[in-house]
């Protein structure tokens, strides 16, 4: 009976601890999400620092300085191009509204030819009543939040990189775990960035608005297994329809994006990351649900990387 009581006490303590940790994660969401993103970026940048050391034969402190400068440059370019893309998109709001009206008229003609009931005037009135200015304010607020988080992540990463430059030797097991995490994160980022670059180039060559933003979202969504690639493929569809309608350009661009998502997701990524990183679908689903509850949309992006980090951080067991 005493043993049963001890088990109940331990079980209650574990449950209460789990609830307390979850509440703390929710409460500290504004600072923890940028910090966790910074940890993953820093893990990827550790490989860059090692490359500077091994290939360019420079001291670790100088490799860290070069990497920090690279982080500042990339962050500045991302912020500049995304804000510029949104500015150009909003400046052409009237043009897109006119294209949407033309698209509605085209749907009305098609529905008439096929004897399908379609109230064109009602739909057109709904479009005219769209609160454009309030939507612009909302998106503008989200852009400000994004820029602020990007700056915060940049500061965190710079401090971590600076610490890398003066870091001394540590425990062998800690160094091994760090190297394994760094290899995985750097490979995952490499695959994601390659996918995002291809999508961005295709949209840019097609003269599609918000190409840079869609490229960045593709990189982020690549961390969500299966559904991430589907969402990133469908995101540009409304902009493509407003620009080209159902013309051949829309289908060519969608075909190219879908092809690269399939090839990289099913052929390239498993070969680079290896089969050892496979995670059980139920485990992935539970991780997505938990982190979405804790950190919202950001938790969906970070759920699988966190799960993978925990998985590969387990000490290697002796044979």
């Amino acid at each position: 009976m005493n043993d049963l009581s001890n088990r109940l006490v331990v079980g209650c303590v574990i449950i209460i601890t789990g609830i307390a940790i979850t509440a703390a994660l929710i409460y500290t969401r504004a600072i923890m999400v940028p910090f966790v993103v910074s940890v993953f970026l820093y893990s990827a940048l550790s490989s860059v620092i090692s490359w500077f050391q091994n290939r360019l034969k420079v001291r670790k402190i100088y490799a860290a300085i070069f990497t920090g400068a690279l982080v500042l440059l990339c962050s500045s370019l991302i912020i500049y191009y995304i804000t510029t893309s949104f500015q150009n998109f909003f400046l052409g709001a009237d043009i897109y509204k006119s294209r949407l009206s033309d698209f509605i008229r085209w749907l009305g003609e098609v529905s008439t030819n096929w004897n399908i009931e379609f109230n064109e005037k009602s739909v057109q009135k709904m479009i005219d009543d769209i609160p454009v200015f309030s939507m612009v304010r909302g998106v503008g607020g989200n852009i400000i939040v994004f820029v602020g988080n990007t700056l915060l992540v940049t500061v965190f990463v710079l401090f971590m990189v600076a610490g890398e430059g003066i870091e001394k030797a540590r425990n062998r097991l800690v160094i091994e775990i760090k190297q394994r995490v760094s290899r995985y994160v750097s490979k995952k980022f490499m695959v994601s960035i390659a996918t995002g670059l291809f999508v961005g180039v295709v949209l840019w060559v097609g003269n599609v608005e918000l190409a840079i933003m869609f490229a960045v979202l593709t990189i982020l969504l690549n961390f969500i297994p299966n559904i991430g690639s589907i969402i990133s493929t469908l995101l540009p569809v409304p902009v493509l329809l407003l620009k080209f309608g159902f013309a051949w350009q829309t289908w060519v661009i969608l075909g190219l994006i879908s092809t690269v998502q399939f090839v990289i997701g099913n052929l390239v990524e498993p070969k680079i990351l290896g089969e050892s990183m496979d995670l059980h679908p139920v485990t992935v689903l539970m991780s997505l649900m938990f982190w979405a509850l804790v950190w919202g949309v950001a938790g969906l992006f970070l759920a699988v990387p966190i799960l993978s980090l925990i998985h590969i951080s387990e000490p290697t067991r002796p044979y």
Side-chain angles (χ1 to χ4, degrees):
M1 193 68 180
N2 188 37
D3 184 53
L4 178 61
S5 299
N6 290 335
R7 291 183 179 180
L8 287 174
V9 170
V10 172
C12 291
V13 170
I14 293 174
I15 293 173
I16 293 173
T17 303
I19 294 174
I21 292 174
T22 304
L25 290 171
I26 295 173
Y27 182 75
T28 59
R29 170 181 174 178
I31 194 70
M32 284 300 297
V33 170
F35 177 74
V36 173
V37 172
S38 304
V39 170
F40 285 110
L41 286 174
Y42 164 70
S43 298
L45 291 173
S46 294
S47 300
V48 178
I49 294 175
S50 299
W51 185 87
F52 278 129
Q53 285 184 271
N54 299 330
R55 295 297 178 89
L56 301 183
K57 305 299 181 183
V58 297
R59 293 175 57 188
K60 195 171 188 178
I61 181 66
Y62 298 124
I65 292 174
F66 293 153
T67 306
L70 187 63
V71 170
L72 281 175
L73 177 62
C74 292
S75 301
S76 302
L77 289 176
I78 289 173
I79 292 173
Y80 171 76
Y81 279 113
I82 288 182
T83 52
T84 303
S85 298
F86 270 106
Q87 182 181 7
N88 295 333
F89 185 77
F90 290 138
L91 289 175
D94 293 336
I95 298 175
Y96 298 123
K97 196 171 183 180
S98 174
R99 290 177 183 172
L100 188 57
S101 299
D102 294 338
F103 181 70
I104 296 301
R105 280 194 293 271
W106 178 82
L107 284 179
E109 294 174 0
V110 172
S111 61
T112 302
N113 294 333
W114 288 85
N115 295 322
I116 300 174
E117 185 177 351
F118 181 76
N119 194 337
E120 182 180 336
K121 292 183 178 179
S122 176
V123 176
Q124 187 65 51
K125 186 177 184 303
M126 290 174 58
I127 294 173
D128 294 335
D129 293 339
I130 292 177
V132 177
F133 290 107
S134 61
M135 291 174 64
V136 169
R137 285 197 300 269
V139 174
N142 290 331
I143 293 175
I144 293 173
V145 172
F146 171 79
V147 171
N149 287 335
T150 302
L151 292 174
L152 189 58
V153 167
T154 303
V155 171
F156 282 152
V157 172
L158 288 176
F159 273 102
M160 292 178 186
V161 170
E164 178 81 10
I166 59 175
E167 188 180 80
K168 304 297 182 183
R170 299 183 301 178
N171 181 275
R172 185 182 62 83
L173 180 61
V174 175
I175 294 175
E176 180 185 353
I177 292 174
K178 179 185 172 182
Q179 289 174 345
R180 293 169 64 186
V181 171
S182 177
R183 280 195 299 268
Y184 167 75
V185 174
S186 59
K187 289 178 180 179
K188 185 66 176 178
F189 267 109
M190 182 178 65
V191 172
S192 301
I193 290 173
T195 308
L197 283 176
F198 183 89
V199 171
V201 169
V202 170
L203 295 175
W204 180 75
V205 171
N207 197 25
V208 179
E209 289 81 359
L210 305 180
I212 302 298
M213 186 198 72
F214 288 131
V216 173
L217 288 176
T218 299
I219 294 172
L220 296 176
L221 287 166
N222 195 54
F223 286 91
I224 303 178
N226 303 324
I227 62 172
S229 58
I230 298 175
I231 295 173
S232 62
T233 302
L234 296 177
L235 277 177
V237 170
V239 178
L240 290 173
L241 290 176
L242 286 176
K243 187 172 185 64
F244 303 114
F246 288 98
W248 62 269
Q249 293 94 329
T250 299
W251 305 113
V252 169
I253 292 174
L254 283 179
L256 289 172
I257 293 175
S258 301
T259 301
V260 75
Q261 290 281 11
F262 177 82
V263 171
I264 292 181
N266 294 278
L267 301 177
V268 178
E269 185 170 331
K271 187 175 182 63
I272 292 177
L273 296 180
E275 298 297 330
S276 60
M277 293 312 304
D278 284 345
L279 299 170
H280 196 282
V282 175
T283 306
V284 173
L285 178 62
M286 295 300 295
S287 178
L288 288 171
M289 292 172 59
F290 174 77
W291 290 107
L293 173 67
V294 173
W295 287 342
V297 176
L300 288 174
F301 293 112
L302 295 172
V304 176
I306 291 174
L307 184 62
S308 302
L309 187 147
I310 295 172
H311 176 69
I312 64 179
S313 297
E314 295 177 358
T316 304
R317 293 176 176 83
Y319 294 101

